[in-house]
PDB file of all heavy atoms in Angstrom:
ATOM      1  N   GLU A   3      -9.523 -24.172   9.022  1.00  0.00           N
ATOM      2  CA  GLU A   3      -9.489 -23.933  10.470  1.00  0.00           C
ATOM      3  C   GLU A   3      -8.059 -24.061  11.009  1.00  0.00           C
ATOM      4  O   GLU A   3      -7.644 -23.289  11.889  1.00  0.00           O
ATOM      5  CB  GLU A   3     -10.421 -24.906  11.190  1.00  0.00           C
ATOM      6  CG  GLU A   3     -11.903 -24.624  10.946  1.00  0.00           C
ATOM      7  CD  GLU A   3     -12.806 -25.472  11.817  1.00  0.00           C
ATOM      8  OE1 GLU A   3     -12.334 -25.942  12.872  1.00  0.00           O
ATOM      9  OE2 GLU A   3     -13.970 -25.673  11.451  1.00  0.00           O
ATOM     10  N   LEU A   4      -7.308 -25.019  10.492  1.00  0.00           N
ATOM     11  CA  LEU A   4      -5.914 -25.146  10.906  1.00  0.00           C
ATOM     12  C   LEU A   4      -5.137 -23.885  10.550  1.00  0.00           C
ATOM     13  O   LEU A   4      -4.359 -23.361  11.364  1.00  0.00           O
ATOM     14  CB  LEU A   4      -5.281 -26.374  10.246  1.00  0.00           C
ATOM     15  CG  LEU A   4      -3.770 -26.556  10.463  1.00  0.00           C
ATOM     16  CD1 LEU A   4      -3.447 -26.705  11.950  1.00  0.00           C
ATOM     17  CD2 LEU A   4      -3.260 -27.770   9.682  1.00  0.00           C
ATOM     18  N   ALA A   5      -5.348 -23.387   9.342  1.00  0.00           N
ATOM     19  CA  ALA A   5      -4.647 -22.170   8.914  1.00  0.00           C
ATOM     20  C   ALA A   5      -5.017 -20.986   9.800  1.00  0.00           C
ATOM     21  O   ALA A   5      -4.144 -20.214  10.232  1.00  0.00           O
ATOM     22  CB  ALA A   5      -4.985 -21.870   7.458  1.00  0.00           C
ATOM     23  N   LEU A   6      -6.300 -20.830  10.084  1.00  0.00           N
ATOM     24  CA  LEU A   6      -6.752 -19.711  10.911  1.00  0.00           C
ATOM     25  C   LEU A   6      -6.240 -19.857  12.344  1.00  0.00           C
ATOM     26  O   LEU A   6      -5.810 -18.876  12.970  1.00  0.00           O
ATOM     27  CB  LEU A   6      -8.277 -19.633  10.887  1.00  0.00           C
ATOM     28  CG  LEU A   6      -8.910 -18.510  11.723  1.00  0.00           C
ATOM     29  CD1 LEU A   6      -8.396 -17.144  11.293  1.00  0.00           C
ATOM     30  CD2 LEU A   6     -10.444 -18.576  11.609  1.00  0.00           C
ATOM     31  N   ALA A   7      -6.254 -21.068  12.867  1.00  0.00           N
ATOM     32  CA  ALA A   7      -5.778 -21.298  14.234  1.00  0.00           C
ATOM     33  C   ALA A   7      -4.293 -20.972  14.356  1.00  0.00           C
ATOM     34  O   ALA A   7      -3.859 -20.365  15.342  1.00  0.00           O
ATOM     35  CB  ALA A   7      -6.034 -22.750  14.643  1.00  0.00           C
ATOM     36  N   MET A   8      -3.511 -21.370  13.355  1.00  0.00           N
ATOM     37  CA  MET A   8      -2.084 -21.064  13.398  1.00  0.00           C
ATOM     38  C   MET A   8      -1.857 -19.560  13.313  1.00  0.00           C
ATOM     39  O   MET A   8      -0.955 -19.010  13.957  1.00  0.00           O
ATOM     40  CB  MET A   8      -1.354 -21.793  12.269  1.00  0.00           C
ATOM     41  CG  MET A   8      -1.356 -23.302  12.429  1.00  0.00           C
ATOM     42  SD  MET A   8      -0.256 -24.161  11.270  1.00  0.00           S
ATOM     43  CE  MET A   8       1.350 -23.690  11.930  1.00  0.00           C
ATOM     44  N   HIS A   9      -2.692 -18.877  12.523  1.00  0.00           N
ATOM     45  CA  HIS A   9      -2.583 -17.416  12.438  1.00  0.00           C
ATOM     46  C   HIS A   9      -2.896 -16.781  13.794  1.00  0.00           C
ATOM     47  O   HIS A   9      -2.154 -15.905  14.265  1.00  0.00           O
ATOM     48  CB  HIS A   9      -3.532 -16.878  11.373  1.00  0.00           C
ATOM     49  CG  HIS A   9      -3.507 -15.385  11.258  1.00  0.00           C
ATOM     50  ND1 HIS A   9      -2.678 -14.718  10.388  1.00  0.00           N
ATOM     51  CD2 HIS A   9      -4.185 -14.423  11.939  1.00  0.00           C
ATOM     52  CE1 HIS A   9      -2.852 -13.406  10.531  1.00  0.00           C
ATOM     53  NE2 HIS A   9      -3.766 -13.208  11.458  1.00  0.00           N
ATOM     54  N   GLU A  10      -3.970 -17.213  14.416  1.00  0.00           N
ATOM     55  CA  GLU A  10      -4.353 -16.633  15.702  1.00  0.00           C
ATOM     56  C   GLU A  10      -3.282 -16.903  16.759  1.00  0.00           C
ATOM     57  O   GLU A  10      -2.945 -16.030  17.567  1.00  0.00           O
ATOM     58  CB  GLU A  10      -5.691 -17.224  16.172  1.00  0.00           C
ATOM     59  CG  GLU A  10      -6.861 -17.036  15.200  1.00  0.00           C
ATOM     60  CD  GLU A  10      -7.386 -15.602  15.167  1.00  0.00           C
ATOM     61  OE1 GLU A  10      -6.591 -14.662  15.174  1.00  0.00           O
ATOM     62  OE2 GLU A  10      -8.614 -15.440  15.116  1.00  0.00           O
ATOM     63  N   GLU A  11      -2.744 -18.123  16.767  1.00  0.00           N
ATOM     64  CA  GLU A  11      -1.716 -18.475  17.742  1.00  0.00           C
ATOM     65  C   GLU A  11      -0.499 -17.569  17.599  1.00  0.00           C
ATOM     66  O   GLU A  11       0.021 -17.040  18.593  1.00  0.00           O
ATOM     67  CB  GLU A  11      -1.295 -19.936  17.548  1.00  0.00           C
ATOM     68  CG  GLU A  11      -0.209 -20.391  18.504  1.00  0.00           C
ATOM     69  CD  GLU A  11       0.365 -21.755  18.147  1.00  0.00           C
ATOM     70  OE1 GLU A  11      -0.128 -22.396  17.194  1.00  0.00           O
ATOM     71  OE2 GLU A  11       1.326 -22.176  18.829  1.00  0.00           O
ATOM     72  N   ARG A  12      -0.058 -17.371  16.366  1.00  0.00           N
ATOM     73  CA  ARG A  12       1.130 -16.554  16.147  1.00  0.00           C
ATOM     74  C   ARG A  12       0.852 -15.054  16.226  1.00  0.00           C
ATOM     75  O   ARG A  12       1.785 -14.257  16.310  1.00  0.00           O
ATOM     76  CB  ARG A  12       1.756 -16.931  14.804  1.00  0.00           C
ATOM     77  CG  ARG A  12       2.575 -18.214  14.935  1.00  0.00           C
ATOM     78  CD  ARG A  12       2.554 -19.121  13.736  1.00  0.00           C
ATOM     79  NE  ARG A  12       3.258 -20.360  14.071  1.00  0.00           N
ATOM     80  CZ  ARG A  12       2.731 -21.377  14.754  1.00  0.00           C
ATOM     81  NH1 ARG A  12       1.474 -21.302  15.183  1.00  0.00           N
ATOM     82  NH2 ARG A  12       3.438 -22.458  15.030  1.00  0.00           N
ATOM     83  N   ASP A  13      -0.403 -14.696  16.241  1.00  0.00           N
ATOM     84  CA  ASP A  13      -0.785 -13.298  16.435  1.00  0.00           C
ATOM     85  C   ASP A  13      -1.090 -13.017  17.910  1.00  0.00           C
ATOM     86  O   ASP A  13      -1.642 -11.971  18.244  1.00  0.00           O
ATOM     87  CB  ASP A  13      -2.020 -12.984  15.570  1.00  0.00           C
ATOM     88  CG  ASP A  13      -2.222 -11.497  15.369  1.00  0.00           C
ATOM     89  OD1 ASP A  13      -1.219 -10.757  15.300  1.00  0.00           O
ATOM     90  OD2 ASP A  13      -3.386 -11.064  15.285  1.00  0.00           O
ATOM     91  N   HIS A  14      -0.759 -13.985  18.777  1.00  0.00           N
ATOM     92  CA  HIS A  14      -0.987 -13.859  20.227  1.00  0.00           C
ATOM     93  C   HIS A  14      -2.461 -13.572  20.523  1.00  0.00           C
ATOM     94  O   HIS A  14      -2.781 -12.784  21.405  1.00  0.00           O
ATOM     95  CB  HIS A  14      -0.104 -12.754  20.814  1.00  0.00           C
ATOM     96  CG  HIS A  14       1.351 -12.906  20.474  1.00  0.00           C
ATOM     97  ND1 HIS A  14       2.121 -13.920  20.982  1.00  0.00           N
ATOM     98  CD2 HIS A  14       2.156 -12.187  19.644  1.00  0.00           C
ATOM     99  CE1 HIS A  14       3.356 -13.830  20.491  1.00  0.00           C
ATOM    100  NE2 HIS A  14       3.398 -12.784  19.685  1.00  0.00           N
ATOM    101  N   ALA A  15      -3.327 -14.236  19.770  1.00  0.00           N
ATOM    102  CA  ALA A  15      -4.769 -14.023  19.921  1.00  0.00           C
ATOM    103  C   ALA A  15      -5.464 -15.352  20.175  1.00  0.00           C
ATOM    104  O   ALA A  15      -6.517 -15.645  19.586  1.00  0.00           O
ATOM    105  CB  ALA A  15      -5.336 -13.341  18.679  1.00  0.00           C
ATOM    106  N   LEU A  16      -4.865 -16.163  21.064  1.00  0.00           N
ATOM    107  CA  LEU A  16      -5.417 -17.492  21.325  1.00  0.00           C
ATOM    108  C   LEU A  16      -6.838 -17.413  21.864  1.00  0.00           C
ATOM    109  O   LEU A  16      -7.660 -18.297  21.599  1.00  0.00           O
ATOM    110  CB  LEU A  16      -4.513 -18.219  22.321  1.00  0.00           C
ATOM    111  CG  LEU A  16      -4.663 -19.739  22.387  1.00  0.00           C
ATOM    112  CD1 LEU A  16      -4.322 -20.364  21.052  1.00  0.00           C
ATOM    113  CD2 LEU A  16      -3.766 -20.303  23.484  1.00  0.00           C
ATOM    114  N   ALA A  17      -7.155 -16.363  22.592  1.00  0.00           N
ATOM    115  CA  ALA A  17      -8.498 -16.242  23.168  1.00  0.00           C
ATOM    116  C   ALA A  17      -9.561 -16.229  22.094  1.00  0.00           C
ATOM    117  O   ALA A  17     -10.696 -16.671  22.330  1.00  0.00           O
ATOM    118  CB  ALA A  17      -8.577 -14.974  24.020  1.00  0.00           C
ATOM    119  N   ARG A  18      -9.229 -15.731  20.897  1.00  0.00           N
ATOM    120  CA  ARG A  18     -10.228 -15.691  19.818  1.00  0.00           C
ATOM    121  C   ARG A  18     -10.622 -17.095  19.366  1.00  0.00           C
ATOM    122  O   ARG A  18     -11.739 -17.316  18.902  1.00  0.00           O
ATOM    123  CB  ARG A  18      -9.694 -14.886  18.633  1.00  0.00           C
ATOM    124  CG  ARG A  18      -9.643 -13.386  18.873  1.00  0.00           C
ATOM    125  CD  ARG A  18      -9.610 -12.612  17.570  1.00  0.00           C
ATOM    126  NE  ARG A  18      -8.394 -12.820  16.810  1.00  0.00           N
ATOM    127  CZ  ARG A  18      -7.461 -11.888  16.582  1.00  0.00           C
ATOM    128  NH1 ARG A  18      -7.603 -10.676  17.115  1.00  0.00           N
ATOM    129  NH2 ARG A  18      -6.411 -12.148  15.861  1.00  0.00           N
ATOM    130  N   VAL A  19      -9.683 -18.035  19.482  1.00  0.00           N
ATOM    131  CA  VAL A  19      -9.989 -19.417  19.078  1.00  0.00           C
ATOM    132  C   VAL A  19     -11.086 -19.997  19.958  1.00  0.00           C
ATOM    133  O   VAL A  19     -11.927 -20.781  19.502  1.00  0.00           O
ATOM    134  CB  VAL A  19      -8.718 -20.291  19.162  1.00  0.00           C
ATOM    135  CG1 VAL A  19      -9.049 -21.755  18.873  1.00  0.00           C
ATOM    136  CG2 VAL A  19      -7.650 -19.780  18.201  1.00  0.00           C
ATOM    137  N   PHE A  20     -11.125 -19.592  21.226  1.00  0.00           N
ATOM    138  CA  PHE A  20     -12.056 -20.176  22.188  1.00  0.00           C
ATOM    139  C   PHE A  20     -13.175 -19.215  22.585  1.00  0.00           C
ATOM    140  O   PHE A  20     -13.937 -19.495  23.511  1.00  0.00           O
ATOM    141  CB  PHE A  20     -11.281 -20.632  23.423  1.00  0.00           C
ATOM    142  CG  PHE A  20     -10.276 -21.701  23.112  1.00  0.00           C
ATOM    143  CD1 PHE A  20      -8.948 -21.374  22.861  1.00  0.00           C
ATOM    144  CD2 PHE A  20     -10.658 -23.029  23.013  1.00  0.00           C
ATOM    145  CE1 PHE A  20      -8.017 -22.350  22.545  1.00  0.00           C
ATOM    146  CE2 PHE A  20      -9.740 -24.011  22.700  1.00  0.00           C
ATOM    147  CZ  PHE A  20      -8.412 -23.680  22.465  1.00  0.00           C
ATOM    148  N   ALA A  21     -13.288 -18.112  21.850  1.00  0.00           N
ATOM    149  CA  ALA A  21     -14.375 -17.174  22.125  1.00  0.00           C
ATOM    150  C   ALA A  21     -15.699 -17.758  21.647  1.00  0.00           C
ATOM    151  O   ALA A  21     -15.733 -18.595  20.738  1.00  0.00           O
ATOM    152  CB  ALA A  21     -14.104 -15.848  21.416  1.00  0.00           C
ATOM    153  N   PRO A  22     -16.825 -17.369  22.242  1.00  0.00           N
ATOM    154  CA  PRO A  22     -18.131 -17.840  21.758  1.00  0.00           C
ATOM    155  C   PRO A  22     -18.294 -17.516  20.279  1.00  0.00           C
ATOM    156  O   PRO A  22     -17.957 -16.417  19.831  1.00  0.00           O
ATOM    157  CB  PRO A  22     -19.122 -17.055  22.620  1.00  0.00           C
ATOM    158  CG  PRO A  22     -18.367 -16.714  23.861  1.00  0.00           C
ATOM    159  CD  PRO A  22     -16.948 -16.478  23.434  1.00  0.00           C
ATOM    160  N   GLY A  23     -18.789 -18.483  19.521  1.00  0.00           N
ATOM    161  CA  GLY A  23     -18.991 -18.275  18.093  1.00  0.00           C
ATOM    162  C   GLY A  23     -17.741 -18.425  17.259  1.00  0.00           C
ATOM    163  O   GLY A  23     -17.755 -18.129  16.056  1.00  0.00           O
ATOM    164  N   SER A  24     -16.650 -18.898  17.850  1.00  0.00           N
ATOM    165  CA  SER A  24     -15.412 -19.075  17.093  1.00  0.00           C
ATOM    166  C   SER A  24     -15.640 -20.035  15.933  1.00  0.00           C
ATOM    167  O   SER A  24     -16.277 -21.081  16.084  1.00  0.00           O
ATOM    168  CB  SER A  24     -14.316 -19.637  18.003  1.00  0.00           C
ATOM    169  OG  SER A  24     -13.208 -20.088  17.239  1.00  0.00           O
ATOM    170  N   PRO A  25     -15.089 -19.697  14.750  1.00  0.00           N
ATOM    171  CA  PRO A  25     -15.250 -20.615  13.608  1.00  0.00           C
ATOM    172  C   PRO A  25     -14.361 -21.846  13.711  1.00  0.00           C
ATOM    173  O   PRO A  25     -14.516 -22.781  12.925  1.00  0.00           O
ATOM    174  CB  PRO A  25     -14.846 -19.747  12.413  1.00  0.00           C
ATOM    175  CG  PRO A  25     -13.895 -18.744  12.971  1.00  0.00           C
ATOM    176  CD  PRO A  25     -14.378 -18.460  14.371  1.00  0.00           C
ATOM    177  N   ILE A  26     -13.451 -21.863  14.641  1.00  0.00           N
ATOM    178  CA  ILE A  26     -12.526 -22.993  14.783  1.00  0.00           C
ATOM    179  C   ILE A  26     -13.152 -24.006  15.734  1.00  0.00           C
ATOM    180  O   ILE A  26     -13.168 -23.821  16.947  1.00  0.00           O
ATOM    181  CB  ILE A  26     -11.158 -22.519  15.304  1.00  0.00           C
ATOM    182  CG1 ILE A  26     -10.556 -21.511  14.327  1.00  0.00           C
ATOM    183  CG2 ILE A  26     -10.221 -23.707  15.501  1.00  0.00           C
ATOM    184  CD1 ILE A  26      -9.304 -20.833  14.835  1.00  0.00           C
TER     185      ILE A  26
END
């Protein structure tokens, strides 16, 4: 989850981290 979160953050996709059903 840390790896995926860092990927999303650097891909400017922070909203995906907090979307319904997020694996993080």
Side-chain angles (χ1 to χ4, degrees):
E3 290 188 23
L4 174 61
L6 179 58
M8 293 190 71
H9 178 92
E10 302 286 42
E11 179 190 356
R12 280 145 186 81
D13 198 33
H14 307 291
L16 198 62
R18 287 201 294 247
V19 175
F20 298 95
S24 167
I26 300 172

